[in-house]
Amino acid sequence: MEFTLTEKPDELYDVVIIGAGPAGTTAAIYTARAGWKTLVLYRAEADGALGITQKIENYPGVPGPISGYELLKRMREQAKSFGAKFVRGKVIATELKTDPKKVYTIDGREFKGKVVIVASGAMERAHKFKGEEEFLGRGVSYCGVCDAAFFKDQPVAVIGDDDYAIEEALFIARFASKVYFIVPGSKIKAPPEAVEELKKQPNVEILLHHRVLEIVGDQTVKGIRLKDLETGEEKFLEVNGVFIFLGGTKPSVDFLMGQVEMTDGECIVVNEEMMTSVPGVFAAGDVLCNEVKQAVVAAAMGCKAALAADKFLSGKRKIVPQW
């Protein structure tokens, strides 16, 4: 797994966008086209709900069927053509009330922006496995780049079912003696080429349709209990580490650290111009918990947030449309 490490610590962007789904990427198209120095931070190539959608047939102007991943790639190439910069990095913390605003990724990088647009989607897990919290930091990890080296020549489990989990597993496999790639469902929701790359690794074993029952150990992780959903068989795998990269439906907003107004359901509150309670911080897409979750709706919100960001940065009295 490769990261872009060419950023200067003091480099200042006009707009930092968190998330590269349809909302974030559409926002990037508009801000970059308007001449603003734009950075997009994304978690994985096939990120978010759209990235793992197998078939799209109803996106305006894009005759289907097309995979969500391919549609995302087209959107990102369009944003890049206007000068937007895309950098892979999982955001874990922010400072939004400073000037400039600061965004931190899990691998220790810091990014600065005059404006932040939050478009991180709703893919977080609401429920944890038995033993997950107990052994967090003692064998349980959410970051392969951070912790894989601690498990050199040891067996580990990776729990996930998408492109992001695969990328992390490929990195972990460089260190671990054995990687059990545990998938709760019947298939991996990732581009075929990514799945094939995982299958080629000699020390990776893929376990489809397996439910995690419990992570067990004493002072540290010693194993994981699973249930094969096809046969009903329960099994125990001896592993020293468990890396968890599963998604869910909860808004991905932990990195906001309570700095903006939220609803009881942990959804971001915005005004009619998509601005949060913190000036210069906007939000769009599934983090707003809209009832209608469609790529075209998220893209429209990303457009609106970008136009509002343009108004904020330029000091205009009203939003000016782009064509």
Side-chain angles (χ1 to χ4, degrees):
M1 180 166 51
E2 303 297 331
F3 287 99
T4 303
L5 297 173
T6 57
E7 298 83 20
K8 304 178 183 66
D10 58 347
E11 189 168 6
L12 178 63
Y13 293 91
D14 295 313
V15 182
V16 174
I17 300 171
I18 303 173
T25 304
T26 300
I29 290 172
Y30 277 79
T31 57
R33 187 168 179 269
W36 300 112
K37 186 176 181 181
T38 300
L39 170 71
V40 184
L41 295 170
Y42 67 100
R43 191 187 66 149
E45 292 298 331
D47 205 5
L50 179 61
I52 61 175
T53 301
Q54 298 299 309
K55 187 168 67 173
I56 301 289
E57 294 184 311
N58 58 359
Y59 196 88
V62 183
I66 184 175
S67 71
Y69 175 58
E70 182 59 37
L71 181 57
L72 268 187
K73 287 203 302 185
R74 293 188 188 186
M75 291 180 178
R76 292 173 185 174
E77 288 305 315
Q78 186 175 2
K80 290 175 184 178
S81 74
F82 292 120
K85 183 177 182 180
F86 284 70
V87 172
R88 184 162 177 257
K90 179 178 173 62
V91 175
I92 59 166
T94 53
E95 291 182 45
L96 301 177
K97 297 182 180 181
T98 59
D99 186 19
K101 304 175 191 312
K102 299 175 183 178
V103 178
Y104 303 94
T105 55
I106 199 167
D107 56 315
R109 290 175 292 169
E110 174 189 305
F111 301 91
K112 299 177 182 177
K114 299 174 185 176
V115 157
V116 169
I117 298 177
V118 180
S120 46
M123 295 287 287
E124 293 299 318
R125 295 162 57 229
H127 304 289
K128 297 185 182 297
F129 298 120
K130 185 177 181 181
E132 179 177 341
E133 291 187 332
E134 178 184 352
F135 292 106
L136 183 60
R138 295 190 292 129
V140 171
S141 173
Y142 305 127
C143 179
V145 174
C146 309
D147 297 328
F150 294 119
F151 297 93
K152 185 173 176 60
D153 299 326
Q154 300 177 55
V156 303
V158 171
I159 308 169
D161 61 1
D162 61 9
D163 182 51
Y164 177 56
I166 288 178
E167 291 174 352
E168 291 279 355
L170 290 172
F171 184 85
I172 294 165
R174 300 181 192 177
F175 300 87
S177 60
K178 176 79 173 184
V179 175
Y180 296 98
F181 191 84
I182 300 167
V183 183
S186 59
K187 63 182 179 180
I188 303 173
K189 297 174 285 189
E193 58 269 26
V195 177
E196 286 305 311
E197 181 66 21
L198 184 67
K199 288 180 178 179
K200 287 191 296 186
Q201 305 307 309
N203 61 336
V204 174
E205 181 179 344
I206 300 173
L207 300 175
L208 296 175
H209 232 197
H210 279 67
R211 178 192 299 161
V212 175
L213 300 177
E214 184 180 8
I215 300 167
V216 299
D218 40 46
Q219 296 301 310
T220 59
V221 168
K222 298 300 181 184
I224 186 168
R225 289 179 55 239
L226 305 172
K227 182 175 183 178
D228 186 327
L229 298 179
E230 291 185 343
T231 66
E233 176 191 1
E234 292 190 12
K235 59 184 70 173
F236 179 80
L237 300 179
E238 291 187 6
V239 296
N240 299 117
V242 177
F243 292 84
I244 303 172
F245 306 112
L246 277 178
T249 58
K250 178 183 173 185
S252 304
V253 293
D254 288 350
F255 57 83
L256 295 176
M257 304 155 67
Q259 296 173 87
V260 304
E261 183 183 353
M262 311 281 290
T263 68
D264 291 340
E266 298 186 334
C267 308
I268 301 175
V269 175
V270 296
N271 64 16
E272 61 182 10
E273 293 187 352
M274 316 304 286
M275 188 184 288
T276 70
S277 57
V278 178
V281 179
F282 302 83
D286 289 350
V287 289
L288 306 184
C289 300
N290 295 281
E291 291 184 7
V292 180
K293 293 188 176 183
Q294 293 285 290
V296 67
V297 174
M301 288 191 284
C303 164
K304 192 172 180 181
L307 293 176
D310 174 63
K311 171 190 170 185
F312 180 88
L313 287 165
S314 61
K316 297 173 184 174
R317 292 182 57 193
K318 61 180 182 179
I319 288 177
V320 177
Q322 289 185 30
W323 305 103

